[in-house]
Amino acid sequence: MELTTELHTATFMGLFISRNLPFKLFLPFLFSKKLISGNFFPKQLESVMCLVARTGRHLQRYDGGCRQVVGCIPYRYRRKGSQKKELEVLLISAQNGNGMQFPKGGWETDECIEQAALRETIEEAGVVGSIESILGKWLYKSKRKDTLHEAYMFPLLVKKQLENFPEKNIRKRRWMAVAEAKEVCPHAWMKEALDVLVSRQPQPRPTRMEI
């Protein structure tokens, strides 16, 4: 009896942490405004998310030989003393150690583009929030494999920063102002995506001059 129970448990856990099942189960909840509107993000779910990073590229999408990647620019507003709120963006360290960048990765055949963007952002940066309309599409060449990539980027208004996430032990993450982000990010196409994000932000109303 105990052996049967152990086998059932092992089978369930094997399915649970497989590369396809977890995000099919969890991503619909991540699109729920009720789940991410405040601080409600169950610790149990956060712990499980830490185990479910996808690996391998057998589901990777290609278009005309271009690898399709997708990611997010996580952002928030912080009040600086008595001054107005300042836009900040979250960058993460690159695996090759070449500066800081925004989270992004392969778009796979079993997910829609928004799901892929959210998944990569959770895996690499450990944040969740409200995904907004796409910033655009960029073509760039990988320096390591000389492969052409087709990249899609989304803004993500961050609602929750997780303590545990799949790439916690291999990534550093840092919030910074837009000007600093442009200095430390080596990728021109990411800077262009950031410019689009900034252009969408509401502009402060001019104050009336007293006569």
Side-chain angles (χ1 to χ4, degrees), residues 2 28 33 38 64 116 120 129 135-136 156 162 170 174 184 192:
E2 290 182 1
K33 292 182 180 179
E120 288 293 341
L135 294 168
L156 182 79
L162 308 179
I170 61 173
R174 201 172 114 212
V184 302
E192 291 178 8

Side-chain angles (χ1 to χ4, degrees), residues 31-196:
F31 278 103
S32 168
K33 292 182 180 179
K34 182 177 180 181
L35 178 66
I36 60 177
S37 59
N39 292 325
F40 179 65
F41 196 92
K43 277 291 181 183
Q44 295 90 338
L45 178 56
E46 182 176 336
S47 298
V48 171
M49 296 295 285
C50 190
L51 301 174
V52 295
R54 289 190 169 199
T55 58
R57 291 188 178 179
H58 66 276
L59 293 178
Q60 174 64 56
R61 290 178 187 258
Y62 289 87
D63 183 14
C66 295
R67 180 176 179 238
Q68 294 184 299
V69 300
V70 63
C72 287
I73 299 182
Y75 76 96
R76 69 183 182 186
Y77 291 98
R78 292 294 298 271
R79 189 176 295 279
K80 301 294 183 179
S82 60
Q83 300 177 358
K84 63 181 181 180
K85 293 182 180 179
E86 181 180 0
L87 175 67
E88 291 184 336
V89 291
L90 181 67
L91 284 82
I92 59 172
S93 58
Q95 285 185 310
N96 61 9
N98 184 20
M100 305 281 284
Q101 63 185 27
F102 298 115
K104 56 104 177 107
W107 177 14
E108 302 194 347
T109 56
D110 64 340
E111 57 191 352
C112 71
I113 191 170
E114 291 87 0
Q115 288 175 332
L118 284 173
R119 174 179 57 76
E120 288 293 341
T121 304
I122 293 170
E123 286 182 0
E124 295 188 351
V127 290
V128 293
S130 302
I131 195 167
E132 300 169 356
S133 58
I134 192 168
L135 294 168
K137 179 178 73 173
W138 287 266
L139 291 176
Y140 72 95
K141 185 172 289 187
S142 171
K143 293 182 179 180
R144 287 187 297 173
K145 296 185 178 180
D146 200 36
T147 305
L148 195 62
H149 291 67
E150 186 177 80
Y152 301 84
M153 294 295 285
F154 292 83
L156 182 79
L157 179 58
V158 173
K159 303 292 185 180
K160 176 77 173 177
Q161 183 167 310
L162 308 179
E163 296 178 8
N164 297 304
F165 56 100
E167 298 190 11
K168 176 182 179 179
N169 294 327
I170 61 173
R171 302 278 189 184
K172 295 180 180 179
R173 55 184 180 180
R174 201 172 114 212
W175 287 99
M176 57 187 75
V178 171
E180 185 181 4
K182 287 186 177 182
E183 288 182 8
V184 302
C185 180
H187 306 296
W189 69 273
M190 285 190 174
K191 296 179 185 180
E192 291 178 8
L194 179 55
D195 285 337
V196 178

Side-chain angles (χ1 to χ4, degrees), residues 7-25:
L7 285 173
H8 281 307
T9 302
T11 301
F12 173 78
M13 290 304 294
L15 287 171
F16 192 70
I17 63 175
S18 71
R19 69 185 309 280
N20 293 323
L21 182 58
F23 278 95
K24 286 183 180 179
L25 292 174

